[in-house]
Amino acid sequence: MNDILLQVKDLKQYYPVTTKEQGKTFVRALDGVTFDVKRGETLGIVGESGCGKSTMGLTICKLIEPTDGQIVLDGEDITKYGRKQMREIRKKIQMVFQDPYASLNPRMSVYDIVAEPLVIHKLFQSKEDIDARVIELLRQVGLDAYHAKRYPHEFSGGQRQRIGIARALAVEPQVIIADEPVSALDVSIQSQVLNLMCDLREQYGLTYLFISHDLSVVEHISDTVGVMYLGSFVEMADKKSLYDNPVHPYTQALLSAVPKPDPRERKEKIILSGNIPSPVNVPKGCKFHPRCKYCTDICKEAVPERTQISDSHYVYCHRAKEFAK
Ligand code: SF4
């Protein structure tokens, strides 16, 4: 069995726009991302809002068609698959969204929400079998059988996210793309939902693509972490290397802002100058150069190549070797 479950190669998502300054041009929401995810692994994707991480989730799930690049799931190239072929593939790849309330139909009961994928994919023939599976799924996410008759508005945010997870689990997917699944929840509820996701990963051997702007949340759940900036990865590493030895100046700045309860672990906060440039007007050379205090002439001209720091750690920065400990 292939160890790699999901392969993404040079994936692009460009939207045509017209601006006063440039005329017809493109928003480069996703600008050539490449990565592999191993079976059973959790890849955390972090970055500020607008960096392209949510677009990446939607594009991999083919809820929006990619402009270019390739998506290979379990050895099958699904890049050009149409709606009919994707219906089969959706049994393998599911999404959990940030806002559980918006992603659950308020007019459907919890039973109907969780049963819907079972019916669409004809996974069970009899009503009794569907009933039993719905109850089983609700129990697996920490809800009770009587919840099936209720409607989304009768639940708390955490419970609604549990319903969203039960719906995603219904088809027994291999991969779940979770886009900011706990961002809308209180901190105490966040850890309950994260722990549930960890338990389900163990139980079902799930593979997660976990998208979040919150580095503490990503650290909790991920094996590998990729940092995105303006539609591309700037650094990817196993969790320990990334959090202990961040190399890219952008990763260093993001990590310096994470609150640490232990004062000995606290680092001086790195304040980045300026804001993320518009994806319509992507800076030449290293996209991060207008905000980087280490910028040199080459950074303004040439796009950095991938620099390997170790087997499981790579960085896109001209000065990566200097910055690596
Ligand atoms: Fe900074 Fe240059 Fe590295 Fe970009 S390539 S992060 S500008 S040092």
Side-chain angles (χ1 to χ4, degrees):
M1 201 195 280
N2 189 351
D3 211 22
I4 304 293
L5 183 55
L6 177 66
Q7 279 179 293
V8 173
K9 292 181 197 161
D10 203 20
L11 195 63
K12 293 187 177 122
Q13 190 59 261
Y14 291 0
Y15 301 110
V17 287
T18 305
T19 67
K20 251 188 197 169
E21 302 77 31
Q22 292 167 281
K24 283 192 176 160
T25 181
F26 293 95
V27 175
R28 293 198 258 163
L30 205 56
D31 201 12
V33 293
T34 298
F35 61 90
D36 294 340
V37 190
K38 288 194 192 127
R39 236 168 256 281
E41 182 185 50
T42 297
L43 171 63
I45 313 271
V46 290
E48 291 164 283
S49 88
C51 71
K53 51 193 193 310
S54 293
T55 304
M56 183 161 75
L58 294 169
T59 308
I60 291 171
C61 260
K62 300 273 311 261
L63 294 173
I64 42 179
E65 288 300 315
T67 307
D68 202 1
Q70 195 181 32
I71 307 157
V72 179
L73 178 65
D74 201 16
E76 195 173 351
D77 185 345
I78 63 168
T79 322
K80 300 263 184 321
Y81 277 12
R83 195 184 279 193
K84 208 169 163 195
Q85 286 165 301
M86 276 311 292
R87 184 178 273 205
E88 270 309 295
I89 296 301
R90 293 210 199 290
K91 276 195 249 172
K92 294 188 178 183
I93 187 161
Q94 286 283 311
M95 271 198 92
V96 171
F97 296 94
Q98 171 176 6
D99 182 350
Y101 199 61
S103 65
L104 302 176
N105 186 336
R107 284 185 288 275
M108 285 169 78
S109 68
V110 169
Y111 176 90
D112 289 336
I113 289 168
V114 178
E116 188 179 43
L118 303 174
V119 174
I120 289 174
H121 292 288
K122 300 187 177 73
L123 295 179
F124 294 94
Q125 302 311 320
S126 75
K127 170 91 170 61
E128 290 71 34
D129 287 346
I130 293 175
D131 290 355
R133 179 68 176 139
V134 168
I135 303 303
E136 185 190 12
L137 284 160
L138 291 180
R139 293 225 164 99
Q140 275 166 348
V141 299
L143 296 171
D144 288 311
Y146 70 87
H147 287 128
K149 293 194 188 115
R150 299 197 172 168
Y151 287 80
H153 72 270
E154 298 177 67
F155 293 89
S156 67
Q159 287 174 317
R160 286 200 287 260
Q161 198 51 291
R162 287 171 191 267
I163 299 165
I165 293 170
R167 179 180 57 184
L169 277 181
V171 294
E172 298 185 26
Q174 294 176 325
V175 183
I176 290 185
I177 299 184
D179 185 6
E180 302 272 11
V182 297
S183 308
L185 308 177
D186 291 345
V187 175
S188 59
I189 309 295
Q190 282 189 356
S191 53
Q192 289 173 15
V193 173
L194 282 177
N195 290 339
L196 170 69
M197 290 186 71
C198 291
D199 292 346
L200 293 169
R201 177 179 58 191
E202 297 307 310
Q203 200 177 335
Y204 290 99
L206 289 166
T207 301
Y208 288 139
L209 208 65
F210 191 97
I211 296 166
S212 177
H213 68 283
D214 186 330
L215 280 110
S216 308
V217 165
V218 165
E219 185 177 18
H220 183 86
I221 197 165
S222 306
D223 301 302
T224 302
V225 180
V227 181
M228 281 187 81
Y229 186 79
L230 264 186
S232 312
F233 281 112
V234 295
E235 183 159 11
M236 173 118 31
D238 63 279
K239 176 170 69 180
K240 187 164 172 27
S241 302
L242 192 105
Y243 283 79
D244 289 354
N245 179 24
V247 173
H248 197 283
Y250 180 60
T251 314
Q252 290 177 358
L254 287 184
L255 280 172
S256 77
V258 176
K260 294 272 179 199
D262 183 347
R264 288 165 301 181
E265 288 181 30
R266 284 182 201 149
K267 292 180 188 155
E268 195 186 331
K269 193 169 173 183
I270 302 167
I271 309 285
L272 291 175
S273 59
N275 296 315
I276 298 188
S278 157
V280 181
N281 224 339
V282 175
K284 200 176 164 200
C286 168
K287 291 176 184 176
F288 187 60
H289 87 254
R291 302 174 79 192
C292 181
K293 64 178 177 183
Y294 305 107
C295 176
T296 58
D297 287 347
I298 188 174
C299 305
K300 295 177 190 164
E301 293 300 326
V303 176
E305 298 281 330
R306 169 170 158 161
T307 301
Q308 207 74 34
I309 305 296
S310 69
D311 284 352
S312 58
H313 190 166
Y314 59 84
V315 186
Y316 293 89
C317 169
H318 291 298
R319 301 180 64 184
K321 292 265 175 212
E322 264 176 77
F323 300 149
K325 279 183 200 154

